[in-house]
Amino acid sequence: MSERNTAIRSLHDLGLAAWFGGSLMGAVGLNGAARTEGGTETARDRISSAGWAKWTPVNAAAIGAHLFGGGGLLAANAGRVATQQGVTASTAAKTVVTAAALAATAYARVLGKKVELASSSDPADAEKADKHPIDVDKARRQLAYAQWAVPALTGCLVVLNALHGEQQRPAEQIPGMWERARSAAHLAW
């Protein structure tokens, strides 16, 4: 009934795994270690900012792999999305949650960069921070929420991914397609 899409499914799943796992480890491990070992707020900010900055390129690659794989899976399963009952709704939900996770990730990076500049000992960074002053305490609070929103949202994507896997079972596909066709025929009458 369906063909294999191992490469794009792997990009999709590995990208999501890295995005979820990295964001969760950062929120728990990196930020927790910075709080424990940092001493001052500025030192905590520097430790945390350094770790998140190192993670940013890997995270960008993970997100790119996930999105590329997701686009490939959507193209490969377009017929099923259009004809199988429930798949359109779960695909729409997954799209909305992905957009929210992307927004939370971008927002966290913007806030993180602001905190990084404000806590930096580099004169060039201090000059940039002076040009765009921020309320550091407010930025830290918002950043904490954003950094926890990312693993929460990507965790939801893991659950929706599991649902999509269940919807691909032959026992789900045939009745789902039949019900969609029956509903469409009923509306036409």
Side-chain angles (χ1 to χ4, degrees), residues 45 49-50 53 109 111-120 125:
D45 290 343
S49 294
R109 183 62 188 137
L111 289 169
K113 193 65 178 171
K114 288 179 179 183
V115 171
E116 177 184 338
L117 290 174
S119 66
S120 178
D125 288 344

Side-chain angles (χ1 to χ4, degrees), residues 63-77:
I63 292 168
H66 173 69
L67 295 175
F68 183 81
L73 287 173
L74 184 59
N77 291 295

Side-chain angles (χ1 to χ4, degrees), residues 19-33 52 148 151:
W19 190 9
F20 169 73
S23 64
L24 184 60
M25 188 290 217
V28 174
L30 177 58
N31 292 348
W52 283 107
W148 277 105

Side-chain angles (χ1 to χ4, degrees), residues 154-171:
T154 54
C156 289
L157 288 174
V158 170
V159 172
L160 288 168
N161 198 35
L163 173 63
H164 273 197
E166 292 297 313
Q167 289 174 329
Q168 281 190 298
R169 293 174 181 250

Side-chain angles (χ1 to χ4, degrees), residues 72-85:
L73 287 173
L74 184 59
N77 291 295
R80 211 170 54 76
V81 171
T83 59
Q84 184 181 343
Q85 180 123 13

Side-chain angles (χ1 to χ4, degrees), residues 89-103 153 157 160:
S90 63
T91 300
K94 195 170 175 184
T95 301
V96 169
V97 175
T98 300
L102 287 168
L153 290 164
L157 288 174
L160 288 168

